[in-house]
Amino acid sequence: MKTAVVLFNRDLRLRDNPALAAAAKAERTAPLFVFDEALLGSRFAAPNRVAFMLESLHDLDEGLRKAGGRLFVRRGDPVREAVALARECGAGAIHVSADWSAYARRRERRLAAACREERVELVVHPGVTIVPPGAVTPTGGDHFRVFTPYHRAWSEVPLRQGHGAPRKLRIPSRLRAGRLPALGQLIAGSTSPERARGGEVEGRKRMRAFLRDGVGAYPDRHDDLAGDATSRLSAHLRFGCVSPLELMLAARERHGEAFVRQLCWRDFHHQVLAATPSLPHRDYRPRRDRWSRSKRAFEAWQEGRTGYPLVDAAMRQLDREGFMHNRARMTVASFLSKDLYVDWRQGAWHFWDLLSDGEIANNAGNWQWVAGTGNDTRPNRVLNPIRQAERFDPDGTYVRRYLPELEPLRGKEILRPWLAEGFAKLDYPQPIVDHDEAAAEFRARRGV
Ligand code: FAD
């Protein structure tokens, strides 16, 4: 084929990118990114993620240039712009990666229709997950509802071939290139001061460091809140700066099965979302909850002023870094949806506003899992925030990192500040609820 377009979405990498690898086989390749006007104006375009994405796009452009290509940039409707570019350069095919949110699938359907009309071939590739949704299904079902059998089936599925980065690219001549805009042209709000930096180069640096120093100790250390010993690759996976397949194979080689299992969780939630597009909005397993509408409770949670140090530290971490440790995410999500009995969707939206790795399948899937409306086989368990702190931050190092107002407390006092002698002098609230009472009330509401 003479010319092919590759339309990037959230697969912003050169290495092991099946869509790019296929487009690079054409005589000329037009790599395209379209700033989707419909998303930019919406709450989906959280500043931390847009900033991360922009850095990733700069990095991608640089990488493409090194191979003799470049990134063509447009703003508007991705379908219209991709087809227009194909027309302009006489491309015979558009290559894209499959994605799984309701929005992404609608976009793909529209693109398919527009390509048919334009007589351009549309080729949809895997690459966003390790195992594509639907590739393994249980007998008599379209997706797995429980993780363990999914993990078993997933572990045995034949994997696709990996790809290197294209060595040499030739772009079509006389095409308007377009420019990557400044961040201020894309967002109005501010970003978190300590957020992660985007890009394949940065992602690969982290990946190498984790595979060298982190994956071996992961089974013992992944829940250590202060140790911060997880890969911190979630935003790079979210924007495709790192290939999940490549990461998984490299971890497997180093006997990193516990880590590989976490990557499987990522695929698990994607196959749930693919089968249940309403996952971000509707209870997967309705429990007839009549959620509290307490604004005071929700705001205290948001601001990290619940009086439970682990919950509050975690919420401040989210604000400061656009990231939160998984153990902390589970604790704050349980606290909001079970102790405060506030609708999990409110919590998911707040995460969505701040997380650099904020991603529909994993955010909605995990929130529903913790709230007990999703795939957890023990939907009514309530995490005790003090017990979680005792186990995963016993000396309060994580809490002190994010709650300077608790600095005067000594030793175990930090687990229950309200019992400490100098509590009245601290700028720190009393617990907003009594955990044991709130947990009992929650169970009564669920009728268990
Ligand atoms: P590591 O422990 O190093 O794990 C490696 C990778 O495995 C992660 O980067 C991630 O891609 C995947 N992974 C790990 N745990 C999970 C999990 N429970 N579910 C799905 N994938 C997982 N993750 C997101 O990527 N985006 C989200 O929007 C998101 N929202 C969450 C909301 C809640 C309420 C909870 C409890 C979890 C959420 N997670 C989300 C999952 C998990 O917390 C993060 O992926 C993880 O903390 C990222 O840190 P890491 O990269 O250091 O993880």
Side-chain angles (χ1 to χ4, degrees):
M1 182 173 297
K2 282 207 156 50
T3 306
V5 171
V6 51
L7 173 62
F8 288 96
N9 284 311
R10 61 173 182 117
D11 48 353
L12 307 180
R13 64 174 180 271
L14 300 171
R15 289 171 195 76
D16 191 38
N17 184 334
L20 173 63
K25 287 195 183 128
E27 274 173 36
R28 288 175 193 272
T29 310
L32 170 68
F33 184 81
V34 183
F35 287 92
D36 186 340
E37 208 64 80
L39 290 181
L40 277 182
S42 78
R43 202 168 169 185
F44 290 100
N48 284 339
R49 278 196 302 284
V50 175
F52 190 97
M53 184 179 78
L54 190 58
E55 287 156 3
S56 304
L57 288 167
H58 276 289
D59 191 60
L60 179 66
D61 186 32
E62 219 167 280
L64 289 167
R65 282 170 196 265
K66 281 187 189 144
R70 67 165 303 155
L71 189 63
F72 293 90
V73 179
R74 299 287 186 268
R75 186 168 175 154
D77 170 28
V79 170
R80 201 167 320 133
E81 295 300 332
V83 171
L85 190 81
R87 192 183 306 134
E88 260 177 87
C89 63
I94 298 178
H95 296 266
V96 286
S97 301
D99 200 356
W100 305 101
S101 68
Y103 185 82
R105 293 175 75 181
R106 212 175 312 123
R107 183 178 57 210
E108 193 187 298
R109 282 196 298 274
R110 288 200 301 116
L111 185 57
C115 283
R116 267 197 304 276
E117 204 160 296
E118 197 70 23
R119 293 180 192 284
V120 171
E121 188 191 1
L122 174 67
V123 193
V124 182
H125 298 267
V128 164
T129 53
I130 298 165
V131 172
V136 282
T137 49
T139 326
D142 62 352
H143 73 291
F144 281 89
R145 292 167 182 274
V146 177
F147 177 74
T148 308
Y150 176 73
H151 182 233
R152 215 175 296 128
W154 180 91
S155 302
E156 284 165 12
V157 89
L159 299 170
R160 70 170 171 82
Q161 205 63 39
H163 299 271
R167 291 224 184 96
K168 188 117 199 68
L169 287 168
R170 286 184 67 202
I171 52 173
S173 48
R174 287 192 293 276
L175 268 190
R176 180 175 65 84
R179 287 175 64 156
L180 287 170
L183 184 59
Q185 291 172 276
L186 297 172
I187 55 161
S190 57
T191 56
S192 297
E194 295 175 27
R195 65 176 182 82
R197 302 289 135 174
E200 187 173 5
V201 169
E202 173 65 25
R204 294 188 74 79
K205 212 189 294 168
R206 274 181 197 232
M207 176 167 81
R208 279 193 298 270
F210 179 73
L211 290 169
R212 191 184 57 228
D213 306 326
V215 75
Y218 188 84
D220 298 327
R221 297 199 60 213
H222 72 281
D223 268 334
D224 170 4
L225 284 160
D228 198 11
T230 61
S231 72
R232 289 242 190 180
L233 278 166
S234 48
H236 293 90
L237 287 164
R238 193 260 176 248
F239 285 99
C241 306
V242 163
S243 152
L245 176 68
E246 186 188 349
L247 176 61
M248 187 273 250
L249 292 174
R252 225 179 224 178
E253 250 172 47
R254 290 160 182 79
H255 310 289
E257 284 309 323
F259 180 72
V260 168
R261 192 179 163 85
Q262 293 312 109
L263 294 174
C264 179
W265 269 109
R266 182 175 178 273
D267 280 12
F268 174 77
H269 289 303
H270 277 83
Q271 57 99 46
V272 174
L273 176 68
T276 325
S278 62
L279 190 72
H281 317 291
R282 212 173 294 154
D283 290 351
Y284 182 80
R285 292 185 198 279
R287 306 280 181 200
R288 294 206 234 149
D289 289 303
R290 303 188 63 182
W291 304 106
S292 155
R293 290 169 188 265
S294 168
K295 203 164 166 240
R296 180 182 145 262
F298 180 62
E299 283 175 0
W301 177 83
Q302 258 185 325
E303 288 161 16
R305 301 277 300 167
T306 66
Y308 283 95
L310 179 51
V311 173
D312 295 341
M315 297 308 291
R316 308 276 184 92
Q317 179 182 26
L318 177 61
D319 206 40
R320 198 201 285 182
E321 300 175 15
F323 178 85
M324 193 194 288
H325 191 286
N326 181 58
R327 175 57 52 184
R329 292 188 207 207
M330 285 165 58
T331 307
V332 304
S334 174
F335 193 80
L336 183 75
S337 59
K338 291 176 169 168
D339 289 57
L340 301 181
Y341 200 50
V342 169
D343 192 334
W344 62 266
R345 277 155 280 243
Q346 274 187 256
W349 269 113
H350 181 66
F351 268 35
W352 191 248
D353 284 343
L354 287 166
L355 282 174
S356 297
D357 65 30
E359 192 268 326
I360 305 248
N362 285 335
N363 195 35
N366 275 292
W367 267 99
Q368 293 230 40
W369 192 86
V370 178
T373 57
N375 305 84
D376 190 1
T377 47
R378 290 171 56 203
N380 299 315
R381 74 177 118 183
V382 185
L383 294 185
N384 179 333
I386 303 171
R387 184 85 189 95
Q388 293 292 308
E390 276 169 344
R391 288 183 65 192
F392 304 115
D393 186 36
D395 52 9
T397 308
Y398 173 79
V399 164
R400 284 189 178 83
R401 193 176 295 155
Y402 299 102
L403 295 182
E405 62 267 47
L406 296 188
E407 194 47 53
L409 298 184
R410 295 283 146 251
K412 303 275 176 214
E413 282 182 339
I414 203 143
L415 293 168
R416 296 175 185 79
W418 60 95
L419 299 181
E421 212 171 280
F423 177 67
K425 290 199 215 102
L426 301 174
D427 174 22
Y428 192 68
Q430 285 278 353
I432 187 167
V433 288
D434 175 278
H435 167 72
D436 292 336
E437 283 171 20
E441 213 173 301
F442 171 76
R443 288 192 200 99
R445 281 177 171 134
R446 285 269 171 100
V448 289

